[in-house]
Amino acid sequence: MDTNKRPDTMERITTKELADKFIAEQIAQVKAQVGNKKVLLALSGGVDSSVVAALLIKAIGKQLVCVHVNHGLMRKGESEAVVELFRNQLDANLVYVDATDRFLGLLEGVCAPEEKRKIIGGEFIRVFEEEARKFDDIDFLAQGTIYPDILESDGVKAHHNVGGLPEDLQFELVEPVKLLYKDEVRVVGKALGLPEAMVDRQPFPGPGLGVRCLGAITRDRLHALREADAILREEFDICGLSKTVWQYFIAVPDMKSVGVKDDKRYEGWPAIIRAVNTKDAMTATIEEIPYEVLHKITNRITAEVDGINRVLLDLTPKPVGTIEWE
Ligand code: XMP
């Protein structure tokens, strides 16, 4: 039997009851697979890895070792939320690695988007590998592979460690949600008691704010981007747009314009608002944001964020514009 093929008879998980049944089955299966051995998991805080973590904590408790790598390109409060939920509330075995200086050091002066992605992806594997080598008794690697990953990669991702860990560091995989679609993962996450803010999260790219701090990343501009993005998210929560808009964020280009603040010349970066709707991220339309919301966001960002003196709205659908700027 091909374990990477979703059986035609498998019911779509849409209710708490179906999710609870799935969770009970997976707990039994994981226990049978793992026994009393240890399992490693890269926990980004995204929906898929968070749901896998919560499921495995239920199944095997402290036998699960979660590693959260903070690459310094997370959104405001994100790494803190992962530590608070998994270590403090769910009592998980969580290794927190602040690798900000390593990532930002390697990215210094690098402008090309694909080069930035390569550096961030490659360094992520190296940091994770270093943490994995600190344990000599881990046999399994858990992954938040979901069914679209398998469909898109012809099963390749499900057979190999994703991201290219070295040959001498290979694990048997534990992939409890690999036959689920994204909406089912969210239902299972809610049934596991994960907070809605985590389960219904908008997509966030692996390279994080690294591809939104346009051009060569500097710490001051990255900081401004993170603060402006936090204000956008807060205001979208307040007016309810966070419930309907698929993806929304700020990008900050590497250019300044002249402004005036407190009667003095004030050169600053623009913050660009992008808010899009899509089904599959292949095409995207622009969300209409009420002007009063735009004015409030503009007032807050320009008043509260050091270094930003203008707020712009990106009205470009995909195509022609990709969702991310880089
Ligand atoms: P684009 O910019 O290609 O984005 O229209 C489509 C969707 O993919 C996300 N995205 C990424 N996700 N690593 C990721 O994990 C990446 O390098 C990456 N680039 C884009 C983007 O946020 C959007 O949801």
Side-chain angles (χ1 to χ4, degrees):
M1 196 184 86
D2 183 359
T3 56
N4 282 333
K5 171 136 183 16
R6 184 176 168 119
D8 296 334
T9 52
M10 188 168 155
E11 201 175 345
R12 192 89 171 197
I13 300 173
T14 51
T15 62
K16 168 110 173 56
E17 290 65 39
L18 289 170
D20 286 340
K21 185 163 158 272
F22 173 83
I23 291 163
E25 283 164 10
Q26 286 307 317
I27 288 176
Q29 206 166 313
V30 168
K31 280 183 165 162
Q33 184 187 3
V34 170
N36 57 8
K37 302 260 176 57
K38 283 192 177 153
V39 181
L40 191 65
L41 169 72
L43 177 59
S44 66
V47 180
D48 305 334
S49 67
S50 296
V51 170
V52 167
L55 188 62
L56 294 187
I57 290 166
K58 262 215 156 82
I60 56 171
K62 293 267 160 90
Q63 283 165 253
L64 175 71
V65 180
C66 302
V67 177
H68 177 73
V69 177
N70 178 358
H71 51 22
L73 304 163
M74 306 291 281
R75 287 172 295 188
K76 188 173 182 178
E78 228 168 5
S79 284
E80 292 83 351
V82 169
V83 172
E84 168 58 26
L85 176 64
F86 287 97
R87 184 187 282 162
N88 301 347
Q89 292 180 34
L90 299 178
D91 196 27
N93 208 341
L94 173 72
V95 180
Y96 170 73
V97 190
D98 183 355
T100 302
D101 291 340
R102 281 175 67 158
F103 281 84
L104 295 189
L106 286 170
L107 287 165
E108 217 173 289
V110 180
C111 300
E114 289 316 302
E115 182 67 18
K116 285 160 77 172
R117 277 193 174 76
K118 234 192 274 165
I119 290 172
I120 296 165
E123 190 62 6
F124 186 89
I125 295 296
R126 267 186 295 280
V127 175
F128 186 68
E129 180 192 339
E130 282 173 25
E131 293 307 316
R133 288 197 192 281
K134 291 181 185 166
F135 299 88
D136 51 10
D137 57 343
I138 295 187
D139 295 308
F140 295 90
L141 180 73
Q143 289 190 160
T145 312
I146 65 172
Y147 204 47
D149 298 331
I150 290 181
L151 295 178
E152 279 161 27
S153 62
D154 282 339
V156 171
K157 186 170 167 183
H159 292 303
H160 302 282
N161 292 343
V162 180
L165 283 173
E167 281 293 315
D168 70 315
L169 197 70
Q170 294 291 308
F171 302 95
E172 189 179 322
L173 297 182
V174 178
E175 298 177 300
V177 298
K178 71 176 175 183
L179 296 184
L180 301 191
Y181 290 101
K182 194 81 178 190
D183 53 293
E184 297 178 289
V185 178
R186 296 190 206 276
V187 177
V188 168
K190 280 180 198 152
L192 284 163
L194 288 176
E196 287 201 2
M198 184 160 258
V199 174
D200 288 329
R201 239 172 72 118
Q202 56 165 324
F204 187 58
L209 300 182
V211 288
R212 297 176 182 172
C213 190
L214 309 179
I217 298 166
T218 56
R219 284 182 194 250
D220 52 355
R221 197 157 48 87
L222 180 61
H223 179 74
L225 160 62
R226 181 175 285 125
E227 294 298 320
D229 185 70
I231 291 172
L232 177 77
R233 288 193 289 142
E234 228 175 274
E235 292 301 327
F236 268 39
D237 278 341
I238 291 170
C239 71
L241 279 172
S242 55
K243 289 220 179 319
T244 56
V245 182
W246 196 79
Q247 196 170 12
Y248 49 96
F249 56 86
I250 296 282
V252 177
D254 184 13
M255 63 150 305
K256 283 189 169 175
S257 69
V258 176
V260 57
K261 194 178 189 182
D262 305 326
D263 296 327
K264 281 202 278 294
R265 185 183 169 98
Y266 176 44
E267 289 189 7
W269 303 290
I272 302 164
I273 299 173
R274 187 129 176 87
V276 299
N277 284 314
T278 176
K279 281 207 160 58
D280 55 10
M282 301 299 285
T283 62
T285 56
I286 295 305
E287 175 69 26
E288 303 247 328
I289 309 170
Y291 261 92
E292 59 183 319
V293 176
L294 288 170
H295 284 304
K296 188 170 175 211
I297 292 168
T298 303
N299 290 340
R300 280 198 61 193
I301 290 179
T302 50
E304 295 173 33
V305 183
D306 264 354
I308 296 209
N309 67 353
R310 285 171 203 264
V311 176
L312 315 181
L313 176 62
D314 183 350
L315 285 172
T316 323
K318 175 182 180 176
V320 159
T322 49
I323 293 176
E324 301 292 344
W325 268 59
E326 285 194 333

